[in-house]
Amino acid sequence: MFVFGDSLVDNGNNNYLDSIAKSNYYPYGIDFFEGPTGRFCNGKTVIDGMCDLLGLPYLPAHANPNLNFSKLLAGVNYASAAGGILDVTGTFLGGRYSLKQQVLNFEEDLTEIKASFSHEDDYNKFLSKSIVVMVLGSNDYINNYLLPTLYTSSYTYTPEQYANLLLNEYTRQILAILSLGIRKFLLAGVGPLGCIPNQRASSTGSTDQCVGQVNQMVGYFNRGLRSLVKQLNTDHPGSVFLYGNTFDALEDILGNPTKYGFTVIDEGCCGVGRNHGQITCLPFAIPCTERDEYIFWDAFHPTEAVNMILAKRAYTGPPDDIYPINLQQLAQL
């Protein structure tokens, strides 16, 4: 499995040495890898949950200096915190890999992988059995469109135009990966960003309510992405593209928290001034003790408990959760 995305699925690509240090900061995360966790979570990300269900080892970061050929064959995580579909997204936060750069990093690794195969047919079979998971788009809103003091995108594009801009660039990079021989894709939609603590706190309304305007913006992107999946499946009959309905899955959890064992839906478990929803969990900050009862770990990211629910819904869920087939069925093809 090869992963492209943002901080929701990142495991240490921005700064490898720094992420090793973060993995040792009590009480965050668990060092599942030989290297860093680098995760914005109290434990496993949704990708880790998928690895568990698929029987795969946890994926190393592309930036891991100890990444060798044997690890490459099991899969790699190219995701980058603050990275987006657009190259300009998140630039104010410093070094990060945009989707375009993540794809270039993937191409670099494939060159090494291909050289190790004696027969090209074996290499092509390896690619055809591999799965690409892409989790992108959130940062293009949070760290771009919704920051009018830093970016002009919200003045230049209507929400619908901006969604189309993102989808056009997304399509280019998806086709670039497809041209390399990958045939299985899972494209995750963006969750209800208007419901994260950061946006609740930024709203002039009550923090008890989601910001409907933001969720409407995300809706344009998600509907376009689902349509793109249908079109890609039509245009490329030898490949399979899935759409992960992250928005509805998270909306279900937010709307029925007790059903899933959650009691806190509008603030993060960790972060200085976590009730204000403005920051991520800082080193040595004291998080809540009832972490399984919180939907959000910090102002932006879900807890491990939520990630495991999302992973299971992607793995065995019906078409309402993942379309047109689920991850388990994709892996069996």
Side-chain angles (χ1 to χ4, degrees), residues 171 174-175 178 187 227-237 239 241:
T171 302
I174 291 168
L175 293 178
L178 183 69
L187 310 178
S227 294
L228 175 61
V229 164
K230 290 182 179 179
Q231 190 63 50
L232 289 169
N233 280 320
T234 298
D235 294 344
H236 304 279
S239 302
F241 295 83

Side-chain angles (χ1 to χ4, degrees), residues 114-134:
K114 185 175 182 179
S116 69
F117 282 89
S118 301
H119 302 286
E120 188 167 354
D121 286 348
D122 292 334
Y123 171 68
N124 291 334
K125 183 177 180 181
F126 164 78
L127 291 180
S128 69
K129 291 294 184 180
S130 298
I131 297 174
V132 158
V133 179
M134 306 184 79

